[in-house]
Amino acid sequence: MSLAPPAAPLVHLRVPTDEDALAWHRVFADPEVMEFHGGRPAELSVYEELTARQRRHDAEHGLCLWTLLDDAGEVLGFTGAQPWPHTSFGPVGEIEIGWRLARAAWGRGYATAAARTTLERARVAGVPEVVAMVNSRNERSMAVTRRLGMRQAESYTTPSGAEAYCFRLTL
């Protein structure tokens, strides 16, 4: 009897809708999910602005933070690629890939499967290289970058004083 590795879960990505702002607000309301994103849940208005911005990114670049759904159509979070959103630190001017999932979706392969789909979409869009910025204490996200074949290239101190690693991948 051979033990085959588990199959990657089926994931679906869509451009965020107005309704997704509420879904993101709900699935990210867990302090554990927000540990490396400010430590506490954000207001609904944050997600309303974020989903609207992602629709603009999709229209302008063909890339955005897409809503991540499982095979049953449940919103699990987001994954995707967008221009690095900060001008005061980090990989300014580069395309960053990222993911944030509901706590119930952790450890099931969704982040890696969705990130692989994101990388393929970025290749098709003509992006030559992507980066992923990860808090130096976020072992789960660093494991995803390694599964994607990314290499740690730089480190930055964020405005909040946290150390973040910049991982790179040539497409």
Side-chain angles (χ1 to χ4, degrees):
M1 181 171 105
S2 69
L3 293 176
L10 292 175
V11 295
H12 306 278
L13 303 179
R14 72 171 179 224
V15 175
T17 64
D18 286 332
E19 294 79 21
D20 287 337
L22 185 57
W24 290 5
H25 182 256
R26 179 180 46 79
V27 299
F28 301 148
D30 184 329
E32 250 188 300
V33 171
M34 298 304 291
E35 178 181 3
F36 303 111
H37 306 284
R40 58 185 167 76
E43 298 294 323
L44 176 60
S45 61
V46 170
Y47 296 110
E48 291 169 336
E49 190 282 324
L50 181 58
T51 55
R53 184 169 9 114
Q54 296 314 309
R55 288 189 293 278
R56 285 192 306 275
H57 286 322
D58 182 71
E60 294 170 9
H61 306 285
L63 299 169
C64 68
L65 295 177
W66 294 286
T67 296
L68 169 60
L69 304 120
D70 66 11
D71 207 33
E74 289 295 315
V75 172
L76 301 179
F78 63 65
T79 190
Q82 66 175 346
W84 174 248
H86 306 284
T87 57
S88 61
F89 81 100
V92 175
E94 300 197 54
I95 298 294
E96 180 199 27
I97 65 168
W99 45 86
R100 186 183 310 167
L101 276 63
R103 177 66 184 93
W106 291 5
R108 298 173 56 197
Y110 286 112
T112 302
R116 285 188 175 127
T117 300
T118 295
L119 292 176
E120 186 52 38
R121 289 183 179 189
R123 277 186 196 95
V124 169
V127 175
E129 182 179 64
V130 294
V131 298
M133 288 288 287
V134 180
N135 183 294
S136 64
R137 297 180 301 110
N138 190 340
E139 291 295 331
R140 290 179 177 278
S141 279
M142 284 189 280
V144 173
T145 66
R146 288 189 291 275
R147 285 192 289 275
L148 297 174
M150 301 184 86
R151 62 177 170 72
Q152 184 179 335
E154 300 105 34
S155 63
Y156 294 95
T157 301
T158 69
S160 68
E163 184 177 19
Y165 299 141
C166 180
F167 293 84
R168 296 182 173 276
L169 182 67
T170 300
L171 302 178

